Amino acid sequence: MNQRYGKEEKLKQKKQIETLFTDGNSLGQYPIRLFYLRVTSENIHQPTRTGVSVSKRNFKNAVDRNKIKRLLREAYKKNKYLVNDLNSHPYWLMIVYVGKEIPELKPLDVAVMKAFKKLKKIKK
RNA sequence: UCAGCAGACUGUCUUAUCGCCCAGAUUUCAUUUUUGGGAGGAAAGUCCGGACACCAUAGCACAGUAUAGCGGGUAACUCCCGUCAUUCGCAUAUGCGGAUAGGACCAGUGCAACAGAAAGAAUGUACAGGUUAUGCUGUAGUGAAACCAGGUAAACUCUAUACGGUGCAACGUCAUGUAAACCAGCGUCUGAGGGUUGUGCGCCCAAUGUUGGAGGGUAGGCGGAUGGAUGUUUUUGGUAACAAAAGCACUAGAUAAAUGAUAAGGAUCCACUUUGGUGGAGACAGAAUCCGGCUUACAGGUCUGUUUUUUUU
């Protein structure tokens, strides 16, 4: 199973992120919230891009935010197979952590999996 | 031997699997394979000082702000070192450790508790001297200080020294589409109005013609950008901070932002214990242009100094 998460699979450009937040939809699966957007035809040859985010309001220290983002990436890596075969159409995704406490990997893993399954159901 | 305080150093290790960022090598149509490197003592707060970059809206004068024993170090500093004075604590013959907004009040202005008649455009009371008498002189009394006297400048002020502003989202450069709104030189006219750091001077902008160049804003790529006031060892100079010379080393460069996750084991500490083990804990905190400081946070461990308690001599 491919569990790589390289540069070309990260959502990086500011413009793309703004578009995702303004035009995209979202679904909640506590303690995360998933923003998603079906990409337009001009970007159809690119892979699915995913970003992670943690609010500065809930976690003041940069160390904690980094920790959570790393855990989110780890959870994404394990569950990415669920979104990669999504009608073979690329998506832009943003996983936002909305919890108030530093999580463990396992519940986060489950949450991401459930969120991706929900997404899959919606698309069908 | 126990505990406290101060300072310095350190601040979990190994293996396996799955991954991330950078650089090199290899190979290919894409790419693959492989080697090496990958957070801190504070990376933090952004409080000082620089390097670097741009801007006459940048200059000059006044104003303003900062610093303040003396000597030295440094690229520079509100930093560091030495030393003097004052002062606090411990000792008390010498000493040890800490603190100090420690220049100037015979340039001027102001302020001053209590006591005292009076702290100054004042001259009381008592006594004595002197005088025709008053003015005058001395003494007493209050107080730190009573006349051509002092104290106070975290009071104005004066003196000396320094200080333009904005910050790498600086700035340079590449290139796609849009559009003629751009920039530079020269000529002509108006010099009204606007801009600037508080004020004045100065400076800049603004109209039009012409010549030349390609330029501007937005998003993106690249440079800036990591080899440097670098680290370390030795020698020399110096009380020291530090400097010089020689040798060796290369030590993160991301950009919605890498340095991680899982499993097993070993040290360390804590609790329980059937002495076999079992369970738990590891602080403060994450580079963002780069350096020198300061300040603040910090579990545990090591070392040094100092004080106290207990035991033995």
Side-chain angles (χ1 to χ4, degrees), chain A residues 6 18 34 45 50 53 59 74 77 83 98 100 119:
Chain A
E18 281 173 11
L34 180 68
H45 296 298
T50 309
S53 180
F59 297 96
E74 202 66 30
K77 267 164 55 186
V83 287
V98 293
K100 298 268 195 272
L119 179 63

Side-chain angles (χ1 to χ4, degrees), chain A residues 91-106:
Chain A
Y91 276 80
W92 288 345
L93 303 169
M94 179 63 82
I95 305 168
V96 180
Y97 186 75
V98 293
K100 298 268 195 272
E101 284 166 15
I102 298 171
E104 293 287 314
L105 180 62
K106 275 185 181 172

Side-chain angles (χ1 to χ4, degrees), chain A residues 8-63:
Chain A
E8 63 280 353
E9 292 179 35
K10 286 178 186 167
L11 191 63
K12 292 182 136 180
Q13 296 189 358
K14 205 178 271 179
K15 214 171 179 181
Q16 294 177 351
I17 292 161
E18 281 173 11
T19 310
L20 171 58
F21 278 128
T22 50
D23 299 343
N25 298 311
S26 76
L27 56 87
Q29 175 65 51
Y30 191 83
I32 63 163
R33 176 157 281 275
L34 180 68
F35 289 82
Y36 60 96
L37 180 67
R38 200 179 160 93
V39 301
T40 49
S41 53
E42 62 206 55
N43 292 320
I44 202 156
H45 296 298
Q46 296 182 358
T48 292
R49 292 180 182 273
T50 309
V52 296
S53 180
V54 181
S55 170
K56 204 171 187 176
R57 203 182 312 146
N58 293 337
F59 297 96
K60 221 180 72 196
N61 287 345
V63 175

